Amino acid sequence: GSPLLAATPIPALDALRVASSHAAVTSPIVFPVSAPAADLPPGFEGATADFVASFMVPHSLASTANTTRPEIFGVNVRASPTLAEVTRVGIALASPPAGMPGVTFPHATPYERLASVADPRSCGKACAQFELCAGWTWLANASCELYSLTGVPRPTASSTVSGWRPLVFVDRARTSLAPDQETSPNSGILPLLAAAPGRVDLRIVLDNSIVEVFAATGTARITSRIYPTLPSSTLLSIFADSLASHVALEVADMWAMQPADGVLLGVGRQ
């Protein structure tokens, strides 16, 4: 599972930044529509780092413009040069209101059944009425079920859905070349900010085997454990998959970090 920490990063983390290591993106970088990685300026790498960025989407995060594949973008962290090892911290735009027939969304923590809806045409609207609803799936009897994110695999949990709300996720599928490492994703619902419906603020704090993610001013947060094996797995880059229109990394700042030595409290078993 993935423990949730405070709504904002622990203030003591700021004091761990190494001021002389600061690197910045001051001119927008436009994401390619689909690419496994696009380089950031020199200086954006490290096993212990604090990365703060703002992204802009041309349309609202509330609904994807791609009706055939999930739209995702984000930051590769602790990546090797060939991406043999990489952890992806990403944002998934919401599915169309009617969902995506025949398409499932794989980058989420297992889902747990929340409620049933008799009319499949109302799945998206019904999900929006539940604070904990993260997605829904169609059933063979022309109905659908609503799902929440469990964070813990359960016998009744499903790993896929037919429609989903905006999500922030940590994809650990290729986080380590070592055998028997946890590869399941961690994810959470991404609240939409009414004042800036197409903007995502993201902070990623790396402390060797710990990845902390804070999104939407801290209202969405995830902590994950990762165990890269390659000495070269220190790179950061941006990635995109199946974007219907371009996303821009507007600004970004990064600092190397001193070892936390107990500052990252509350991190549990993964």
Side-chain angles (χ1 to χ4, degrees):
S2 177
L4 300 184
L5 303 186
T8 55
I10 300 169
L13 288 175
D14 292 353
L16 299 178
R17 292 171 174 170
V18 179
S20 61
S21 69
H22 179 241
V25 171
T26 56
S27 298
I29 297 176
V30 178
F31 281 57
V33 172
S34 284
D39 290 339
L40 288 167
F44 280 80
E45 65 175 283
T48 56
D50 189 358
F51 178 86
V52 182
S54 290
F55 303 88
M56 283 300 297
V57 182
H59 50 84
S60 172
L61 295 166
S63 181
T64 182
N66 189 330
T67 59
T68 60
R69 289 179 57 83
E71 289 188 75
I72 62 174
F73 65 92
V75 183
N76 294 319
V77 302
R78 296 302 310 272
S80 64
T82 63
L83 299 183
E85 288 186 336
V86 60
T87 298
R88 302 203 302 175
V89 178
I91 302 297
L93 306 189
S95 65
M100 289 189 180
V103 177
T104 53
F105 179 68
H107 299 289
T109 306
Y111 294 89
E112 182 72 12
R113 182 180 176 277
L114 185 64
S116 296
V117 177
D119 184 356
R121 295 171 298 179
S122 302
C123 294
K125 292 181 179 180
C127 185
Q129 302 304 312
F130 284 85
E131 182 179 1
L132 294 179
C133 182
W136 67 91
T137 189
W138 292 298
L139 302 179
N141 61 356
S143 64
C144 64
E145 288 189 338
L146 308 183
Y147 290 87
S148 62
L149 295 170
T150 67
V152 179
R154 299 177 184 174
T156 58
S158 169
S159 61
T160 59
V161 288
S162 304
W164 53 89
R165 294 171 69 180
L167 299 174
V168 56
F169 63 86
V170 177
D171 180 354
R172 300 188 291 179
R174 291 183 289 156
T175 195
S176 177
L177 294 178
D180 302 323
Q181 293 297 317
E182 181 59 65
T183 59
S184 63
N186 296 135
S187 55
I189 299 170
L190 181 67
L192 300 178
L193 303 181
R199 175 174 174 168
V200 178
D201 294 322
L202 193 65
R203 182 174 183 180
I204 305 170
V205 180
L206 304 173
D207 186 22
N208 291 306
S209 66
I210 300 172
V211 179
E212 284 194 278
V213 180
F214 301 86
T217 65
T219 52
R221 61 270 188 196
I222 298 172
T223 299
S224 290
R225 285 279 192 179
I226 61 173
Y227 299 96
T229 62
L230 301 176
S232 60
S233 293
T234 60
L235 303 178
L236 279 83
S237 58
I238 57 177
F239 73 87
D241 188 12
S242 302
L243 294 180
S245 53
H246 291 289
V247 171
L249 171 61
E250 290 211 317
V251 294
D253 293 274
M254 181 180 157
W255 297 263
M257 298 278 283
Q258 302 175 48
D261 291 335
V263 171
L264 298 180
L265 301 177
V267 177
R269 175 179 56 84
Q270 298 294 311

